[in-house]
Amino acid sequence: PRWPLLIVCEGMPDALTAAQAGYRSIGLLGAQAPDETVAARVANHAERHDLDVVLMTDANDAGRNAGDRLADLLRAEHVDPVIVEPPADLVDADGEPVVDLNAWAQLDPDWSDDLLAALDLGHSPTGAARSPTSHPPEPTTSLPTVHNRELDIE
């Protein structure tokens, strides 16, 4: 995998998009899917493989509620996830806001770099630390919204 992250998405298309970019990913079957069993399995997988958990929620009420619910359930499993949603200013060809990872990736080929910049990992994709004088490329859109805490990836 590209980073020691487990990206949990709302839906299979989003999970496949994350996997195609080199991330370990899990697709929930809709916003109503988070429950204790799902949280226990996500936590078990993350702990077994030493992965930080990123909840890639849809940028709508149902997605945010699902992300908040799963985050609470994961904290009960001693996993502190970061909640991320696509950039707020991103719109599709019809002028509609982009609400999920798959649509974000279709419009922004640099979505993964923008995600890493928003998470403030301070590493290059190869895992080597970025030098203090190098700067990541400017994102093509605003950065995604990140809730909770910064990741502690070594």
Side-chain angles (χ1 to χ4, degrees):
R2 187 172 177 175
W3 292 96
L5 299 174
L6 176 60
I7 300 184
V8 180
C9 304
E10 183 184 333
M12 294 308 296
D14 291 352
L16 291 171
T17 297
Q20 184 178 18
Y23 297 100
R24 292 183 190 208
S25 63
I26 294 174
L28 300 178
L29 300 178
Q32 288 71 35
D35 63 21
E36 292 82 5
T37 303
V38 169
R41 289 182 180 188
V42 169
N44 183 296
H45 187 79
E47 290 170 5
R48 185 176 17 173
H49 297 285
D50 197 26
L51 302 170
D52 282 301
V53 176
V54 174
L55 304 179
M56 179 61 68
T57 63
D58 286 3
N60 55 33
D61 289 341
R64 289 181 189 112
N65 290 337
D68 290 343
R69 170 137 172 79
L70 185 54
D72 289 342
L73 293 167
L74 286 168
R75 285 186 203 101
E77 297 286 336
H78 309 290
V79 172
D80 189 19
V82 174
I83 301 173
V84 178
E85 60 185 53
D89 65 345
L90 198 59
V91 294
D92 65 18
D94 297 325
E96 295 296 318
V98 168
V99 298
D100 65 20
L101 176 59
N102 191 43
W104 176 19
Q106 289 176 15
L107 290 173
D108 180 6
D110 297 322
W111 74 268
S112 181
D113 294 333
D114 294 346
L115 172 64
L116 296 176
L119 294 173
D120 194 25
L121 295 180
H123 294 81
S124 70
T126 60
R130 187 180 294 145
S131 72
T133 57
S134 70
H135 301 291
E138 288 295 317
T140 56
T141 64
S142 66
L143 295 178
T145 303
V146 178
H147 307 275
N148 297 0
R149 64 171 179 85
E150 292 182 14
L151 295 175
D152 184 23
I153 297 177
E154 308 208 9

